[in-house]
Amino acid sequence: GDSVTQMEGPVTLSEEAFLTINCTYTATGYPSLFWYVQYPGEGLQLLLKATKADDKGSNKGFEATYRKETTSFHLEKGSVQVSDSAVYFCALSPTSSGGSNYKLTFGKGTLLTVNP
Amino acid sequence: DTGVSQDPRHKITKRGQNVTFRCDPISEHNRLYWYRQTLGQGPEFLTYFQNEAQLEKSRLLSDRFSAERPKGSFSTLEIQRTEQGDSAMYLCASSPGTANQPQHFGDGTRLSIL
């Protein structure tokens, strides 16, 4: 079945440091890929997405590129802020299925703490 | 766009009691999903609806769990005879009816079983 493996946390960085959170996936066909962010006590918010190979998703200074050859979708940010402290989830969704269930399969999440 | 709304935010109950959660999706979204998230893990798929039809249920959804979406709008998730292992965050998400569209999540209902 589909699966997502992401970098174990926690990750602790100083403000303005460079961030990379690795994500690799296993899926049939060509899934859509997502990064979601979860702040304490809240639900998940979509951070960015990519729907086909070589697409780059970007939002709020975060970027991730859909790499079919390495089945990866690593999250990067050039300069993190304290407000970026949260749990980050990589996820995939099938783009075609027997029915119409585009359910998300998530990684375990990576806790990021940014210190001032 | 008022977002996905879930109620209650927190539920504390004794083992063996029944609980019911409600989810109000984004109004124009015809797909509604339920996920369960335990501490330190990513959300896991439970079930989904297209309009009022429940089209797939995960093996995680034992026969103590039932979900409905009677008019294709809000949905309820009921757990009967709760067990300690049911303690988790229950998340609802909705999306439009096409592929490649992201799911929008509510803030979840945190269930604690005493």
Side-chain angles (χ1 to χ4, degrees):
Chain A
D2 296 348
S3 67
V4 174
T5 302
Q6 64 180 100
M7 181 172 152
E8 294 275 337
V11 174
T12 302
L13 296 173
S14 297
E15 207 165 22
E16 298 184 2
F18 183 85
L19 169 70
T20 300
I21 300 177
N22 291 338
C23 171
T24 57
Y25 67 88
T26 302
T28 54
Y30 302 102
S32 294
L33 301 175
F34 305 87
W35 277 99
Y36 281 85
V37 59
Q38 187 174 36
Y39 298 99
E42 298 183 11
L44 281 73
Q45 300 177 22
L46 177 68
L47 183 58
L48 54 84
K49 71 171 187 176
T51 58
K52 61 182 187 294
D54 300 324
D55 265 2
K56 177 186 283 189
S58 61
N59 186 27
K60 300 180 181 179
F62 291 90
E63 294 184 339
T65 301
Y66 189 140
R67 301 288 188 198
K68 183 168 68 73
E69 64 276 14
T70 55
T71 60
S72 65
F73 192 55
H74 304 320
L75 182 69
E76 296 182 336
K77 187 175 185 182
S79 176
V80 294
Q81 306 299 312
V82 172
S83 57
D84 294 328
S85 298
V87 181
Y88 291 80
F89 292 94
C90 184
L92 68 81
S93 172
T95 51
S96 64
S97 62
S100 57
N101 185 1
Y102 303 114
K103 64 183 178 184
L104 289 164
T105 298
F106 287 89
K108 290 187 176 181
T110 302
L111 172 63
L112 170 66
T113 301
V114 180
N115 295 318
Chain B
D1 180 353
T2 57
V4 178
S5 176
Q6 291 189 245
D7 184 69
R9 290 294 308 278
H10 305 277
K11 180 69 176 179
I12 301 173
T13 192
K14 294 181 179 179
R15 184 168 54 92
Q17 297 295 304
N18 299 342
V19 294
T20 301
F21 313 139
R22 176 180 170 122
C23 171
D24 288 88
I26 294 171
S27 57
E28 61 268 28
H29 288 178
N30 63 11
R31 288 214 174 85
L32 186 148
Y33 295 79
W34 286 98
Y35 293 84
R36 183 171 68 187
Q37 184 180 21
T38 53
L39 198 62
Q41 302 295 317
E44 295 175 291
F45 168 78
L46 292 179
T47 188
Y48 99 102
F49 293 82
Q50 181 168 319
N51 299 313
E52 67 276 8
Q54 185 175 19
L55 297 185
E56 186 172 330
K57 294 190 288 187
S58 161
R59 289 173 297 172
L60 293 175
L61 215 64
S62 76
D63 56 6
R64 296 184 297 106
F65 288 70
S66 62
E68 295 183 341
R69 194 183 183 195
K71 296 183 179 179
S73 57
F74 73 91
S75 175
T76 58
L77 178 67
E78 181 182 16
I79 309 174
Q80 296 183 327
R81 305 180 304 281
T82 52
E83 301 174 355
Q84 290 284 349
D86 297 332
S87 295
M89 175 79 89
Y90 290 85
L91 294 166
C92 176
S94 69
S95 72
T98 54
N100 302 328
Q101 295 301 313
Q103 294 177 23
H104 299 262
F105 284 80
D107 284 342
T109 293
R110 180 167 296 284
L111 174 64
S112 299
I113 308 297
L114 301 178

